[in-house]
Amino acid sequence: MNIDFQLAESVLTSQPFSRLIGARLTTFETGTATLEIPIRDELLQHDGHLHGGVLSYAADNAITFAAGSALGPAVLTSGLSVSYLRPAMGRALLARATVVHAGRRQAVCRCDLVVVDGDEPDTLCAVAQGTVLTRQPGPPLASRERPGLR
C-alpha cells in the first residue's frame, strides 16, 4: 500500500469539523496514525476538562486514518467504543491509533488518547477500539447533493 501523507492531510483539512477544532495529522504510516488537537477553552466541558465528544472525534478519525493506511482511502467507521479513564487536561490531545487486524474489507484498530503538557509525561485519558470498512469509491459524500440543503 502506497502511503501518501499529503493526501491524508488534505482529507483531514477538507473536513469542516476537523478545521473547527484544529486537528492536525502528525503521523500517517502503514498501520498507524496520530492526530493532535490543541486544547483550548472552546473545547472544554463545564468542569474544565476536554469534552468527551472531542475525545471520541479524535479516536474515530485516528482509527479511520490508521485503517485507511491498510485498506486504502475509501473507508468509513462502522463501530466505535471509547472508555474514558480520567479527565483530559493539558496542552494538547494526541490520538494514537494502530491497526490490530486488517482483512480485505475490514480493519479493527485501537487508539490511545493521551494529553501532553510541557515536560510532564503523557497522561493516558481514554482508550478506544473501532471497526472500519471499505466503501465503494465515488465522489466525496460532501460533494453529493443532499435534499433540503442548498
Side-chain angles (χ1 to χ4, degrees):
M1 170 83 43
N2 182 20
I3 301 300
D4 187 338
F5 187 87
Q6 288 182 326
L7 174 61
E9 273 188 318
S10 71
V11 168
L12 182 67
T13 59
S14 74
Q15 301 170 0
F17 189 71
S18 294
R19 291 192 311 270
L20 178 71
I21 66 170
R24 190 169 71 87
L25 190 63
T26 59
T27 304
F28 182 68
E29 299 169 352
T30 302
T32 188
T34 302
L35 287 183
E36 181 175 345
I37 299 171
I39 296 176
R40 59 185 204 276
D41 287 347
E42 296 85 3
L43 302 179
L44 305 179
Q45 47 90 298
H46 65 281
D47 281 334
H49 310 131
L50 190 60
H51 193 283
V54 176
L55 291 160
S56 291
Y57 155 83
D60 179 21
N61 256 11
I63 283 169
T64 304
F65 276 100
S69 75
L71 299 174
V75 294
L76 291 171
T77 302
S78 66
L80 179 70
S81 171
V82 180
S83 295
Y84 301 99
L85 306 175
R86 64 183 48 87
M89 298 183 298
R91 181 186 53 79
L93 173 71
L94 300 178
R96 298 176 178 142
T98 56
V99 174
V100 174
H101 174 77
R104 288 185 314 118
R105 294 191 32 100
Q106 174 179 291
V108 174
C109 303
R110 73 173 133 236
C111 182
D112 287 343
L113 295 128
V114 301
V115 288
V116 295
D117 198 12
D119 294 332
E120 297 296 316
D122 294 356
T123 301
L124 182 67
C125 56
V127 294
Q129 179 172 304
T131 304
V132 177
L133 301 175
T134 59
R135 66 173 178 83
Q136 293 298 321
L141 296 175
S143 70
R144 298 179 188 163
E145 187 174 328
R146 293 177 280 174
L149 298 177
R150 302 207 193 275

